[in-house]
C-alpha cells in the first residue's frame, strides 16, 4: 500500500489558506502555488541518495554529501500542473520536464488525453507527477498508467489538495506510488470538485474564469 504524506509545515499551511481564499488574485495565486511547490519539493526529494565528497574550503578539507547523480523528471498534468513547475525547477535546476495533457470530461469526469511528451530517457528516471488537485483521482491515475506503459518504474504523486476519493483510487490503481499533499480535504461535491478545496485550479492559475 502506498504512503500518504500530508505536509503540516506552518509555511505551507499559511500559504494554502490564502490560496483557498476566493478573493485571492490570479497574480497572488500563481506566486503562492509556486512557493508551495518549492516547499513541497523539499519534502518529496527527502529520500534522494547522497554520496560522500571531499571539498577544499579555504581552511581545510570538509567531508560533505552530494546528491548521487539520481536521474529525476517532473511531469505536470496540463494545464494546472504547470503552476507547480517553476517552484520545482527552482529547487532542482537540472530536472527534466515531461508533459501529459489531460482534461476531465465535464459530464463523465473521466480523463481525456490530448498530449504526451517525455524526455527520451524517461525510463531511466524517477518521476514526480505534479497536479494541484487530486479529486476523483481519474487524471492522476491515468497519467501514471500512461507513464508506466512508457516504461517508467518509479513514480511519486505530488498534489496540493487531495480528496479521500482520489487517494482511495490511487491506492487501488497504483499501490506502489506514494502521495504527497499539503491538505486532505473532506469530500467531493456532485460536480467532482473538492470540498472545501480552492475551486478550479487551472482557471485560477490562468485566469480563464
Ligand atoms: C483538474 C486538475 C486535475 C484534475 C483533477 O484539471 O488540475 O488534473 O482536474 O480531477 P480528477 O482527480 O477528478 O481527475 P482539469 O480537468 O480541470 O483541467 P485543467 O488543468 O486543464 O484545468
Ligand atoms: N479540479 C479542480 O481544479 N478543482 C477541483 O476541486 C477538482 C478538480
Amino acid at each position: 500500500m502506498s504512503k500518504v504524506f500530508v505536509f503540516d509545515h506552518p509555511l505551507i499551511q499559511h500559504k494554502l489558506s490564502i490560496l483557498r481564499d476566493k478573493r485571492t488574485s490570479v497574480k497572488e495565486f500563481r506566486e503562492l502555488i509556486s512557493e508551495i511547490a518549492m516547499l513541497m519539493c523539499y519534502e518529496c526529494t527527502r529520500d534522494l541518495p547522497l554520496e560522500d565528497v571531499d571539498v577544499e574550503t579555504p581552511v581545510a578539507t570538509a567531508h560533505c554529501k552530494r546528491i548521487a547523480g539520481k536521474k529525476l523528471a517532473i511531469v505536470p498534468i496540463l494545464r494546472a500542473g504547470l503552476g507547480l513547475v517553476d517552484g520545482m525547477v527552482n529547487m532542482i535546476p537540472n530536472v527534466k520536464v515531461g508533459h501529459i495533457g489531460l482534461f476531465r470530461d465535464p459530464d463523465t469526469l473521466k480523463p481525456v488525453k490530448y498530449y504526451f511528451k517525455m524526455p527520451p530517457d524517461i525510463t531511466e528516471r524517477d518521476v514526480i507527477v505534479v497536479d494541484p488537485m487530486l479529486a476523483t483521482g481519474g487524471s492522476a491515475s491515468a497519467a501514471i498508467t500512461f507513464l508506466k506503459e512508457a516504461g517508467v518504474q518509479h513514480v511519486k504523486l505530488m498534489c496540493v489538495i487531495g480528496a479521500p476519493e482520489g487517494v482511495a483510487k490511487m491506492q487501488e490503481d497504483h499501490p506502489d506510488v506514494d502521495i504527497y499533499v499539503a491538505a486532505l480535504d473532506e469530500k467531493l461535491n456532485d460536480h467532482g470538485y473538492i470540498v472545501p478545496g480552492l475551486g478550479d485550479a487551472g482557471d485560477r492559475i490562468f485566469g480563464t474564469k
Side-chain angles (χ1 to χ4, degrees):
M1 176 67 79
S2 67
K3 293 197 267 305
V4 182
F5 299 89
V6 183
F7 294 163
D8 58 0
H9 194 288
L11 283 175
I12 296 180
Q13 293 304 313
H14 176 85
K15 289 174 192 297
L16 180 57
S17 77
I18 307 171
L19 200 68
R20 287 183 189 273
D21 192 324
K22 64 182 182 191
R23 297 166 302 179
T24 297
S25 68
V26 169
K27 172 182 181 290
E28 214 183 345
F29 193 95
R30 279 188 196 137
E31 289 166 359
L32 283 163
I33 205 158
S34 191
E35 288 165 10
I36 289 173
M38 215 183 299
L39 294 165
M40 290 184 74
C41 176
Y42 190 78
E43 277 300 321
C44 283
T45 51
R46 182 175 280 287
D47 59 354
L48 283 179
L50 295 171
E51 62 189 8
D52 295 323
V53 286
D54 284 348
V55 173
E56 295 306 320
T57 79
V59 179
T61 302
H63 306 297
C64 303
K65 305 275 185 197
R66 279 197 188 145
I67 293 170
K70 189 78 185 169
K71 287 183 140 192
L72 273 183
I74 57 170
V75 175
I77 301 177
L78 306 180
R79 286 175 306 169
L82 289 175
L84 301 170
V85 171
D86 279 0
M88 303 284 287
V89 171
N90 280 341
M91 287 285 106
I92 322 170
N94 286 318
V95 78
K96 296 285 190 335
V97 183
H99 294 85
I100 295 182
L102 296 177
F103 65 86
R104 288 198 312 177
D105 182 293
D107 298 322
T108 65
L109 300 181
K110 297 267 180 269
V112 180
K113 176 164 104 170
Y114 62 88
Y115 192 71
F116 187 87
K117 179 82 177 173
M118 293 298 136
D121 58 353
I122 191 68
T123 56
E124 296 160 34
R125 293 180 180 271
D126 288 1
V127 171
I128 305 176
V129 172
V130 297
D131 191 327
M133 310 305 274
L134 177 64
T136 65
S139 305
S141 177
I144 291 167
T145 299
F146 294 138
L147 286 168
K148 288 181 175 174
E149 285 169 0
V152 173
Q153 294 184 34
H154 299 113
V155 185
K156 292 175 182 175
L157 174 65
M158 187 184 109
C159 300
V160 177
I161 301 180
E165 293 87 339
V167 170
K169 177 159 180 65
M170 276 297 303
Q171 289 185 323
E172 170 91 27
D173 295 354
H174 301 289
D176 55 314
V177 175
D178 288 341
I179 302 167
Y180 298 77
V181 292
L184 255 186
D185 276 9
E186 196 187 322
K187 59 178 182 186
L188 298 180
N189 68 15
D190 293 343
H191 304 287
Y193 275 84
I194 299 177
V195 180
L198 51 71
D200 188 304
D203 283 345
R204 296 199 65 186
I205 292 167
F206 297 107
T208 40
K209 209 168 187 182

